[in-house]
Amino acid sequence: MRLAGKTAVITGGTSGIGLATAALFTKEGAKVIVTGQSPESVASAQAELSSQVLAFPADVRSPEDLARLAQRVEAEFGGLDIVFANAGVAFATPLEPGDLKTYDLIMDVNVKGVFLTVQALSPIMRQGGSIILNTSWLNNVGTPGLSALSASKAAVRSFARCWGAELLARRIRVNAVSPGATNTPIHGKIGMSPEDLQAFAARMEGNIPLGRFGEANDIAQAALYLASDESTYVLGAELVVDGGFSTI
């Protein structure tokens, strides 16, 4: 029960890494609030997770939605100990033909959405809390066609350092978890054809030193470490969980 007595918000917590993290945090004793954008995903997550979890509809691009989330958490739980800013999107953005709408969507969700999430929730966090940001192996490796996605994750990595310094007076730790290629629904939304996606996955898996894709629970375990009191001397760090892909 490494999170007993703690309250956590996980954005994008209705599928993939967020859903696995919500289940693990609950098992470890936390009261968990997950957010999702669509009513269908929120209802599905609420049905799948235990009754200890509150599934809350919120778009991380909306300051109004996030303000309502903060008000609900403060009213119901009195404050907050953990934020996992996990919500994100992934699409290919090759230089040609240049899809500005896709570029804007990536930056709005992955960068502005993380900024607005922490801006809304950090005021209700208790001293000694933990903020975890979801970055990616892409911020360390140049990958053709994924420049906007990679840049968005590099921006989030910078947030971890800056906010770690900014929130230091309140003893709120800010760190990042950096997933490698992971079996989650997000890969099916990246914008590649099924054939291109299959070829990309085969190339990736062949280059991962540990010889496999990650699973959502691999990332959830890393988030648990950063959320728990076991990481009280970890600040501004990025915990890489990619099977050695970007490091070996």
Side-chain angles (χ1 to χ4, degrees):
M1 303 294 283
R2 295 153 73 184
L3 302 181
K6 297 183 184 293
T7 301
V9 165
I10 301 171
T11 63
T14 58
S15 67
I17 291 169
L19 186 65
T21 304
L24 182 60
F25 280 15
T26 303
K27 182 180 177 182
E28 292 290 343
K31 297 173 183 176
V32 178
I33 303 93
V34 299
T35 73
Q37 188 173 344
S38 73
E40 295 78 15
S41 68
V42 169
S44 174
Q46 187 69 77
E48 181 171 344
L49 296 167
S50 79
S51 58
Q52 290 178 267
V53 176
L54 169 65
F56 191 93
D59 185 338
V60 296
R61 297 170 293 179
S62 167
E64 294 78 16
D65 282 6
L66 293 168
R68 283 192 291 271
L69 172 64
Q71 290 165 4
R72 176 73 180 273
V73 171
E74 188 170 29
E76 192 158 333
F77 302 101
L80 190 57
D81 303 287
I82 301 158
V83 172
F84 183 20
N86 166 72
V89 295
F91 299 102
T93 52
L95 283 174
E96 296 180 6
D99 182 351
L100 189 57
K101 287 185 178 179
T102 301
Y103 176 91
D104 286 344
L105 177 59
I106 289 171
M107 293 301 174
D108 279 352
V109 175
N110 293 3
V111 182
K112 185 170 74 173
V114 171
F115 183 92
L116 292 175
T117 295
V118 175
Q119 186 180 59
L121 296 177
S122 59
I124 66 169
M125 291 191 71
R126 301 181 180 97
Q127 183 166 310
S130 174
I131 296 173
I132 306 154
L133 311 181
N134 194 341
T135 58
S136 170
W137 62 274
L138 288 165
N139 69 35
N140 285 313
V141 179
T143 307
L146 297 178
S147 57
L149 177 57
S150 302
S152 74
K153 293 302 185 178
V156 174
R157 175 66 184 97
S158 185
F159 283 160
R161 292 189 176 101
C162 294
W163 292 337
E166 190 166 342
L167 296 173
L168 186 58
R170 296 176 55 201
R171 316 308 293 175
I172 294 174
R173 296 176 295 108
V174 186
N175 294 288
V177 60
S178 178
T182 308
N183 285 321
T184 71
I186 199 169
H187 286 292
K189 304 173 185 177
I190 202 166
M192 296 181 181
S193 68
E195 295 76 18
D196 287 344
L197 187 59
Q198 187 174 9
F200 175 74
R203 288 196 305 274
M204 282 290 300
E205 193 164 38
N207 289 323
I208 296 171
L210 286 182
R212 68 171 178 87
F213 269 44
E215 299 297 334
N217 196 57
D218 293 323
I219 315 306
Q221 293 286 350
L224 172 61
Y225 167 70
L226 293 174
S228 74
D229 292 339
E230 296 168 11
S231 60
T232 53
Y233 201 54
V234 181
L235 177 65
E238 182 180 47
L239 179 51
V240 178
V241 190
D242 67 358
F245 179 77
S246 65
T247 55
I248 295 178

PDB file of all heavy atoms in Angstrom, residues 180-202:
ATOM      1  N   GLY A 180       8.973   4.091 -23.887  1.00  0.00           N
ATOM      2  CA  GLY A 180       9.379   3.713 -25.228  1.00  0.00           C
ATOM      3  C   GLY A 180       8.173   3.222 -26.003  1.00  0.00           C
ATOM      4  O   GLY A 180       7.028   3.549 -25.679  1.00  0.00           O
ATOM      5  N   ALA A 181       8.414   2.441 -27.034  1.00  0.00           N
ATOM      6  CA  ALA A 181       7.318   1.857 -27.804  1.00  0.00           C
ATOM      7  C   ALA A 181       6.509   0.947 -26.893  1.00  0.00           C
ATOM      8  O   ALA A 181       7.046   0.000 -26.314  1.00  0.00           O
ATOM      9  CB  ALA A 181       7.880   1.077 -28.985  1.00  0.00           C
ATOM     10  N   THR A 182       5.229   1.256 -26.754  1.00  0.00           N
ATOM     11  CA  THR A 182       4.381   0.580 -25.769  1.00  0.00           C
ATOM     12  C   THR A 182       3.086   0.134 -26.428  1.00  0.00           C
ATOM     13  O   THR A 182       2.502   0.865 -27.230  1.00  0.00           O
ATOM     14  CB  THR A 182       4.069   1.525 -24.588  1.00  0.00           C
ATOM     15  OG1 THR A 182       5.294   2.063 -24.073  1.00  0.00           O
ATOM     16  CG2 THR A 182       3.333   0.800 -23.481  1.00  0.00           C
ATOM     17  N   ASN A 183       2.643  -1.058 -26.091  1.00  0.00           N
ATOM     18  CA  ASN A 183       1.397  -1.585 -26.643  1.00  0.00           C
ATOM     19  C   ASN A 183       0.198  -0.878 -26.031  1.00  0.00           C
ATOM     20  O   ASN A 183      -0.303  -1.272 -24.975  1.00  0.00           O
ATOM     21  CB  ASN A 183       1.292  -3.093 -26.369  1.00  0.00           C
ATOM     22  CG  ASN A 183       2.192  -3.908 -27.271  1.00  0.00           C
ATOM     23  OD1 ASN A 183       2.341  -3.603 -28.457  1.00  0.00           O
ATOM     24  ND2 ASN A 183       2.810  -4.939 -26.722  1.00  0.00           N
ATOM     25  N   THR A 184      -0.248   0.197 -26.664  1.00  0.00           N
ATOM     26  CA  THR A 184      -1.427   0.920 -26.220  1.00  0.00           C
ATOM     27  C   THR A 184      -2.238   1.324 -27.450  1.00  0.00           C
ATOM     28  O   THR A 184      -1.723   1.321 -28.575  1.00  0.00           O
ATOM     29  CB  THR A 184      -1.059   2.198 -25.435  1.00  0.00           C
ATOM     30  OG1 THR A 184      -0.525   3.173 -26.337  1.00  0.00           O
ATOM     31  CG2 THR A 184      -0.052   1.906 -24.336  1.00  0.00           C
ATOM     32  N   PRO A 185      -3.510   1.722 -27.255  1.00  0.00           N
ATOM     33  CA  PRO A 185      -4.340   2.111 -28.399  1.00  0.00           C
ATOM     34  C   PRO A 185      -3.817   3.318 -29.167  1.00  0.00           C
ATOM     35  O   PRO A 185      -4.215   3.538 -30.312  1.00  0.00           O
ATOM     36  CB  PRO A 185      -5.697   2.424 -27.741  1.00  0.00           C
ATOM     37  CG  PRO A 185      -5.710   1.638 -26.486  1.00  0.00           C
ATOM     38  CD  PRO A 185      -4.297   1.622 -26.008  1.00  0.00           C
ATOM     39  N   ILE A 186      -2.909   4.112 -28.574  1.00  0.00           N
ATOM     40  CA  ILE A 186      -2.471   5.341 -29.226  1.00  0.00           C
ATOM     41  C   ILE A 186      -1.749   5.055 -30.543  1.00  0.00           C
ATOM     42  O   ILE A 186      -1.797   5.860 -31.473  1.00  0.00           O
ATOM     43  CB  ILE A 186      -1.574   6.174 -28.284  1.00  0.00           C
ATOM     44  CG1 ILE A 186      -1.519   7.642 -28.762  1.00  0.00           C
ATOM     45  CG2 ILE A 186      -0.172   5.588 -28.160  1.00  0.00           C
ATOM     46  CD1 ILE A 186      -0.880   8.576 -27.745  1.00  0.00           C
ATOM     47  N   HIS A 187      -1.101   3.886 -30.651  1.00  0.00           N
ATOM     48  CA  HIS A 187      -0.378   3.580 -31.894  1.00  0.00           C
ATOM     49  C   HIS A 187      -1.319   3.417 -33.078  1.00  0.00           C
ATOM     50  O   HIS A 187      -0.943   3.697 -34.213  1.00  0.00           O
ATOM     51  CB  HIS A 187       0.478   2.322 -31.709  1.00  0.00           C
ATOM     52  CG  HIS A 187       1.702   2.544 -30.871  1.00  0.00           C
ATOM     53  ND1 HIS A 187       2.751   3.326 -31.301  1.00  0.00           N
ATOM     54  CD2 HIS A 187       2.029   2.106 -29.646  1.00  0.00           C
ATOM     55  CE1 HIS A 187       3.683   3.354 -30.364  1.00  0.00           C
ATOM     56  NE2 HIS A 187       3.269   2.643 -29.349  1.00  0.00           N
ATOM     57  N   GLY A 188      -2.536   2.973 -32.796  1.00  0.00           N
ATOM     58  CA  GLY A 188      -3.496   2.820 -33.882  1.00  0.00           C
ATOM     59  C   GLY A 188      -4.064   4.134 -34.378  1.00  0.00           C
ATOM     60  O   GLY A 188      -4.755   4.175 -35.394  1.00  0.00           O
ATOM     61  N   LYS A 189      -3.748   5.233 -33.682  1.00  0.00           N
ATOM     62  CA  LYS A 189      -4.284   6.543 -34.047  1.00  0.00           C
ATOM     63  C   LYS A 189      -3.225   7.467 -34.639  1.00  0.00           C
ATOM     64  O   LYS A 189      -3.488   8.644 -34.858  1.00  0.00           O
ATOM     65  CB  LYS A 189      -4.886   7.215 -32.801  1.00  0.00           C
ATOM     66  CG  LYS A 189      -5.943   6.386 -32.096  1.00  0.00           C
ATOM     67  CD  LYS A 189      -6.372   7.040 -30.789  1.00  0.00           C
ATOM     68  CE  LYS A 189      -7.342   6.180 -30.010  1.00  0.00           C
ATOM     69  NZ  LYS A 189      -7.711   6.777 -28.709  1.00  0.00           N
ATOM     70  N   ILE A 190      -2.036   6.946 -34.883  1.00  0.00           N
ATOM     71  CA  ILE A 190      -0.924   7.817 -35.242  1.00  0.00           C
ATOM     72  C   ILE A 190      -1.023   8.361 -36.664  1.00  0.00           C
ATOM     73  O   ILE A 190      -0.340   9.310 -37.034  1.00  0.00           O
ATOM     74  CB  ILE A 190       0.416   7.077 -35.025  1.00  0.00           C
ATOM     75  CG1 ILE A 190       1.568   8.076 -34.854  1.00  0.00           C
ATOM     76  CG2 ILE A 190       0.684   6.091 -36.160  1.00  0.00           C
ATOM     77  CD1 ILE A 190       2.832   7.451 -34.320  1.00  0.00           C
ATOM     78  N   GLY A 191      -1.887   7.758 -37.493  1.00  0.00           N
ATOM     79  CA  GLY A 191      -2.093   8.295 -38.828  1.00  0.00           C
ATOM     80  C   GLY A 191      -1.402   7.501 -39.924  1.00  0.00           C
ATOM     81  O   GLY A 191      -1.483   7.862 -41.096  1.00  0.00           O
ATOM     82  N   MET A 192      -0.707   6.427 -39.570  1.00  0.00           N
ATOM     83  CA  MET A 192      -0.076   5.579 -40.571  1.00  0.00           C
ATOM     84  C   MET A 192      -1.090   4.554 -41.074  1.00  0.00           C
ATOM     85  O   MET A 192      -2.029   4.193 -40.373  1.00  0.00           O
ATOM     86  CB  MET A 192       1.118   4.829 -39.971  1.00  0.00           C
ATOM     87  CG  MET A 192       2.269   5.700 -39.514  1.00  0.00           C
ATOM     88  SD  MET A 192       3.611   4.655 -38.867  1.00  0.00           S
ATOM     89  CE  MET A 192       4.794   5.919 -38.385  1.00  0.00           C
ATOM     90  N   SER A 193      -0.862   4.053 -42.289  1.00  0.00           N
ATOM     91  CA  SER A 193      -1.682   2.951 -42.780  1.00  0.00           C
ATOM     92  C   SER A 193      -1.369   1.705 -41.954  1.00  0.00           C
ATOM     93  O   SER A 193      -0.297   1.609 -41.332  1.00  0.00           O
ATOM     94  CB  SER A 193      -1.370   2.672 -44.245  1.00  0.00           C
ATOM     95  OG  SER A 193      -0.049   2.142 -44.376  1.00  0.00           O
ATOM     96  N   PRO A 194      -2.276   0.725 -41.906  1.00  0.00           N
ATOM     97  CA  PRO A 194      -1.990  -0.502 -41.143  1.00  0.00           C
ATOM     98  C   PRO A 194      -0.693  -1.177 -41.577  1.00  0.00           C
ATOM     99  O   PRO A 194       0.045  -1.697 -40.739  1.00  0.00           O
ATOM    100  CB  PRO A 194      -3.210  -1.387 -41.443  1.00  0.00           C
ATOM    101  CG  PRO A 194      -4.307  -0.414 -41.744  1.00  0.00           C
ATOM    102  CD  PRO A 194      -3.638   0.737 -42.450  1.00  0.00           C
ATOM    103  N   GLU A 195      -0.420  -1.135 -42.881  1.00  0.00           N
ATOM    104  CA  GLU A 195       0.810  -1.765 -43.369  1.00  0.00           C
ATOM    105  C   GLU A 195       2.049  -1.011 -42.890  1.00  0.00           C
ATOM    106  O   GLU A 195       3.034  -1.623 -42.449  1.00  0.00           O
ATOM    107  CB  GLU A 195       0.790  -1.816 -44.908  1.00  0.00           C
ATOM    108  CG  GLU A 195      -0.296  -2.685 -45.506  1.00  0.00           C
ATOM    109  CD  GLU A 195      -1.676  -2.038 -45.463  1.00  0.00           C
ATOM    110  OE1 GLU A 195      -1.753  -0.790 -45.284  1.00  0.00           O
ATOM    111  OE2 GLU A 195      -2.677  -2.761 -45.601  1.00  0.00           O
ATOM    112  N   ASP A 196       2.004   0.323 -42.980  1.00  0.00           N
ATOM    113  CA  ASP A 196       3.136   1.129 -42.525  1.00  0.00           C
ATOM    114  C   ASP A 196       3.328   0.994 -41.018  1.00  0.00           C
ATOM    115  O   ASP A 196       4.461   0.939 -40.523  1.00  0.00           O
ATOM    116  CB  ASP A 196       2.923   2.607 -42.885  1.00  0.00           C
ATOM    117  CG  ASP A 196       3.090   2.853 -44.377  1.00  0.00           C
ATOM    118  OD1 ASP A 196       3.642   1.982 -45.069  1.00  0.00           O
ATOM    119  OD2 ASP A 196       2.653   3.929 -44.845  1.00  0.00           O
ATOM    120  N   LEU A 197       2.218   0.924 -40.275  1.00  0.00           N
ATOM    121  CA  LEU A 197       2.303   0.793 -38.827  1.00  0.00           C
ATOM    122  C   LEU A 197       2.915  -0.547 -38.441  1.00  0.00           C
ATOM    123  O   LEU A 197       3.746  -0.632 -37.530  1.00  0.00           O
ATOM    124  CB  LEU A 197       0.910   0.937 -38.218  1.00  0.00           C
ATOM    125  CG  LEU A 197       0.837   0.997 -36.684  1.00  0.00           C
ATOM    126  CD1 LEU A 197       1.643   2.174 -36.145  1.00  0.00           C
ATOM    127  CD2 LEU A 197      -0.614   1.097 -36.223  1.00  0.00           C
ATOM    128  N   GLN A 198       2.531  -1.596 -39.168  1.00  0.00           N
ATOM    129  CA  GLN A 198       3.078  -2.923 -38.891  1.00  0.00           C
ATOM    130  C   GLN A 198       4.575  -2.960 -39.190  1.00  0.00           C
ATOM    131  O   GLN A 198       5.361  -3.530 -38.419  1.00  0.00           O
ATOM    132  CB  GLN A 198       2.345  -3.978 -39.715  1.00  0.00           C
ATOM    133  CG  GLN A 198       2.747  -5.412 -39.371  1.00  0.00           C
ATOM    134  CD  GLN A 198       1.896  -6.433 -40.111  1.00  0.00           C
ATOM    135  OE1 GLN A 198       1.114  -6.085 -40.997  1.00  0.00           O
ATOM    136  NE2 GLN A 198       2.042  -7.700 -39.753  1.00  0.00           N
ATOM    137  N   ALA A 199       4.989  -2.326 -40.298  1.00  0.00           N
ATOM    138  CA  ALA A 199       6.406  -2.291 -40.650  1.00  0.00           C
ATOM    139  C   ALA A 199       7.199  -1.478 -39.638  1.00  0.00           C
ATOM    140  O   ALA A 199       8.319  -1.854 -39.241  1.00  0.00           O
ATOM    141  CB  ALA A 199       6.580  -1.710 -42.058  1.00  0.00           C
ATOM    142  N   PHE A 200       6.619  -0.357 -39.199  1.00  0.00           N
ATOM    143  CA  PHE A 200       7.268   0.481 -38.194  1.00  0.00           C
ATOM    144  C   PHE A 200       7.451  -0.295 -36.887  1.00  0.00           C
ATOM    145  O   PHE A 200       8.513  -0.266 -36.255  1.00  0.00           O
ATOM    146  CB  PHE A 200       6.417   1.729 -37.954  1.00  0.00           C
ATOM    147  CG  PHE A 200       6.910   2.625 -36.846  1.00  0.00           C
ATOM    148  CD1 PHE A 200       8.026   3.425 -37.016  1.00  0.00           C
ATOM    149  CD2 PHE A 200       6.243   2.665 -35.622  1.00  0.00           C
ATOM    150  CE1 PHE A 200       8.473   4.254 -35.990  1.00  0.00           C
ATOM    151  CE2 PHE A 200       6.683   3.491 -34.590  1.00  0.00           C
ATOM    152  CZ  PHE A 200       7.804   4.287 -34.785  1.00  0.00           C
ATOM    153  N   ALA A 201       6.398  -1.030 -36.490  1.00  0.00           N
ATOM    154  CA  ALA A 201       6.468  -1.807 -35.249  1.00  0.00           C
ATOM    155  C   ALA A 201       7.535  -2.884 -35.345  1.00  0.00           C
ATOM    156  O   ALA A 201       8.281  -3.123 -34.378  1.00  0.00           O
ATOM    157  CB  ALA A 201       5.104  -2.424 -34.952  1.00  0.00           C
ATOM    158  N   ALA A 202       7.634  -3.524 -36.496  1.00  0.00           N
ATOM    159  CA  ALA A 202       8.640  -4.576 -36.665  1.00  0.00           C
ATOM    160  C   ALA A 202      10.054  -4.004 -36.581  1.00  0.00           C
ATOM    161  O   ALA A 202      10.944  -4.596 -35.961  1.00  0.00           O
ATOM    162  CB  ALA A 202       8.423  -5.286 -38.002  1.00  0.00           C
TER     163      ALA A 202
END
